[in-house]
Amino acid sequence: MKKEQQMATSILENIGGKDNLQKIMFCQTRLRLSINKKDNADLAELKKINGVMGVVDDDTLQIVVGPGTVNKVADELSALTGLAIGEEKNPDDLTLEEQAAINKQKIKSKTKKTPIKQLLRKIGNIFIPLIPGLVASGLINGIANFAINAGADPKSTLLSILVLIGSSLFTFLAILVGWNTAKEFNGTPVLGAIMGMILFNPALANITIYGEALTPGRGGLFGVIFAAWLITVVEKQVRKGVPNSVDIIITPLISLLVVGLLSLYAIQPLFGVFTDGITNGIQAILNVGGVVAGAVLAGFFLPLVMVGLHQGLTPIHLDLIHQFGYTSLLPVLAMAGAGQVGAAIAIYVKTKNQKLRNNIKGGLPVGFLGIGEPLLYGVTLPLGRPFVTACIGAAFGGAFQAVMHTGAVGIGVSGLSLIPLIAQNKYVYYFIGLVIAYAAGFIFTYLFGYNEKMAENIK
């Protein structure tokens, strides 16, 4: 039996069997499983499975297995359960007891979270399925821009094709965000997609409301998310009063007309102000706050990654790119992973624990490329103090990036992988920031963050 098959089988056994599994999703490094009865899952045994680096118990059960492996384990789980990835088990197939357990779990989950955490989680769920496309498109764009900056002819056929391939997702991203939002809130996905089409439609420039021509894309992806959520709410309310025989005609018609008009007259203007406030605010914080702002943002980002809420920042990065052409926030936050790489290297130099050394050897290559979960769950977090010194290392790198005003024209990657996406030819500045974070993470961990007694926590 292949390693991934063994992992999938063991995971299924320790979450209460296939009948307890409601939905299979995954991101770059984590399986995200919706299960009916959390009490039936044995978290301690899940952590002991060979290949599992960590477990986060949240509204979805997050099992960290690392990049590449996560796709294969998800496929194996799908084969074992017959549940397609991203597909939710039909409520009609559930027993009354299972339905009651799901409802109880949802209520329990909501009471445990703050509204901010719930919002970030929902936003993360909207963007997680888009990450592979964002990564691929961003890198292709980065390669094309790198070539143009190096002197290549931007009108050449090859570069024009690369720009087309790399920019297509970003051109129509609002449609996919609208689709995923409606799906996340149990509405009709195509209605959510239409809201994205409306709010980013170039034809908006020909419409005048409140004495001003509308601006395509104003309000950003936050506006799309709100409009797509609202249409799911309206759709459900309309459906209650519509006869079944005409539901397929009347419900979407009324929902689209009502929310479509609201989007132009209220949602876009309001979220235009909201989005401008966020993006201009972040730029001002980094420009005015400089060293302090960069250090604080980078230093506190790793805890956000720890609980899986970092994906909730995706629309902020994308709206920054939409408004300014780049995101100043991403290079700063990317230093969190770099500080952790430096910490891991320091531990590798000091420790004689073979299990710990193996964890570091396995996690460092992807750590340099900006995927930090293997080192986070396999090394720094279990040890405790190195997690803190990694954050300190990140703060030094973040401070430098803020002072140098580095930015990124794409998202989805960090670490060394982000270099081709750095804006305004500031590749060297970004790399120097990485080296500073590596060095600070190493120095603080080597001097203050690790002693061999800590390795007893690694099993």
Side-chain angles (χ1 to χ4, degrees):
M1 185 182 290
K2 293 188 299 184
K3 176 186 175 184
E4 289 81 10
Q5 287 178 314
Q6 291 177 334
M7 289 178 68
T9 301
S10 298
I11 288 170
L12 203 57
E13 288 174 356
N14 288 292
I15 63 170
K18 67 179 183 179
D19 291 336
N20 200 34
L21 183 59
Q22 179 72 9
K23 188 176 183 181
I24 304 168
M25 297 182 294
F26 66 91
C27 57
Q28 286 177 303
T29 59
R30 309 178 190 209
L31 289 166
R32 294 171 180 260
L33 308 180
S34 297
I35 57 179
N36 300 332
K37 297 180 181 179
K38 282 281 184 74
D39 294 341
N40 289 2
D42 192 332
L43 303 186
E45 289 300 316
L46 282 171
K47 292 176 183 178
K48 294 178 183 178
I49 295 172
N50 185 30
V52 171
M53 302 167 186
V55 176
V56 179
D57 182 15
D58 208 59
D59 58 340
T60 58
L61 186 63
Q62 301 173 32
I63 303 173
V64 185
V65 296
T69 302
V70 69
N71 311 60
K72 297 173 184 175
V73 176
D75 287 339
E76 295 295 340
L77 275 173
S78 179
L80 288 170
T81 61
L83 192 62
I85 294 170
E87 175 192 5
E88 193 155 7
K89 192 179 290 183
N90 190 332
D92 295 336
D93 296 334
L94 301 174
T95 65
L96 291 175
E97 182 185 1
E98 287 173 330
Q99 291 179 18
I102 293 172
N103 292 333
K104 181 180 178 182
Q105 186 61 47
K106 287 180 178 178
I107 294 170
K108 183 179 178 182
S109 178
K110 286 181 180 178
T111 57
K112 287 169 59 178
K113 295 191 189 73
T114 65
I116 294 296
K117 188 175 180 182
Q118 289 185 50
L119 177 62
L120 288 174
R121 176 68 62 207
K122 285 291 186 183
I123 292 173
N125 290 342
I126 290 165
F127 284 93
I128 284 168
L130 303 178
I131 288 174
L134 290 170
V135 171
S137 298
L139 287 174
I140 292 170
N141 262 343
I143 291 168
N145 290 331
F146 196 88
I148 292 170
N149 291 334
D153 180 8
K155 296 182 179 179
S156 68
T157 301
L158 178 58
L159 276 179
S160 296
I161 290 172
L162 286 178
V163 170
L164 172 69
I165 294 172
S167 64
S168 291
L169 173 62
F170 296 100
T171 301
F172 301 103
L173 183 60
I175 299 172
L176 296 175
V177 169
W179 177 286
N180 282 354
T181 301
K183 188 176 180 181
E184 175 68 18
F185 289 98
N186 302 312
T188 301
V190 71
L191 294 180
I194 293 172
M195 302 320 299
M197 296 176 195
I198 291 172
L199 290 174
F200 274 73
N201 197 317
L204 287 175
N206 301 323
I207 300 173
T208 300
I209 294 178
Y210 304 130
E212 293 184 6
L214 296 178
T215 303
R218 180 160 169 76
L221 294 175
F222 281 110
V224 173
I225 290 169
F226 184 84
W229 166 79
L230 183 61
I231 203 169
T232 66
V233 173
V234 172
E235 178 190 12
K236 291 172 186 176
Q237 294 303 313
V238 172
R239 179 163 287 125
K240 291 178 181 179
V242 173
N244 292 339
S245 58
V246 292
D247 173 70
I248 195 172
I249 299 172
I250 301 300
T251 300
L253 174 63
I254 294 176
S255 301
L256 189 54
L257 281 173
V258 170
V259 182
L261 289 169
L262 279 173
S263 293
L264 301 186
Y265 280 92
I267 294 174
Q268 195 190 53
L270 289 173
F271 274 85
V273 175
F274 173 74
T275 303
D276 288 349
I278 290 179
T279 53
N280 291 328
I282 288 172
Q283 289 292 94
I285 288 169
L286 290 173
N287 290 337
V288 177
V291 170
V292 175
V296 170
L297 289 169
F300 283 92
F301 186 61
L302 211 53
L304 208 61
V305 177
M306 178 182 71
V307 294
L309 294 177
H310 55 299
Q311 304 295 353
L313 300 179
T314 300
I316 295 177
H317 292 308
L318 292 169
D319 282 338
L320 283 166
I321 293 170
H322 179 72
Q323 183 165 342
F324 300 108
Y326 58 88
T327 166
S328 303
L329 187 60
L330 182 56
V332 171
L333 300 183
M335 296 301 99
Q340 186 167 242
V341 165
I345 295 172
I347 296 167
Y348 188 85
V349 170
K350 292 189 75 173
T351 189
K352 296 179 182 179
N353 184 292
Q354 195 57 45
K355 171 67 173 174
L356 187 53
R357 290 174 70 88
N358 289 339
N359 287 353
I360 295 170
K361 282 194 291 186
L364 270 180
V366 293
F368 277 111
L369 297 176
I371 299 173
E373 279 90 345
L375 291 176
L376 176 63
Y377 292 103
V379 182
T380 60
L381 199 56
L383 293 174
R385 201 186 303 165
F387 178 78
V388 177
T389 53
C391 291
I392 294 172
F396 276 82
F400 180 83
Q401 300 293 359
V403 170
M404 294 296 107
H405 304 291
T406 52
V409 297
I411 68 169
V413 292
S414 61
L416 295 172
S417 305
L418 188 60
I419 291 175
L421 302 182
I422 295 301
Q424 302 171 332
N425 296 324
K426 293 185 177 180
Y427 311 108
V428 174
Y429 290 142
Y430 174 73
F431 180 73
I432 291 172
L434 280 175
V435 173
I436 290 172
Y438 293 152
F442 179 93
I443 292 169
F444 278 94
T445 304
Y446 191 89
L447 295 179
F448 312 110
Y450 179 77
N451 59 61
E452 197 68 350
K453 187 177 180 180
M454 295 178 183
E456 296 173 2
N457 295 327
I458 302 296
K459 298 177 182 179

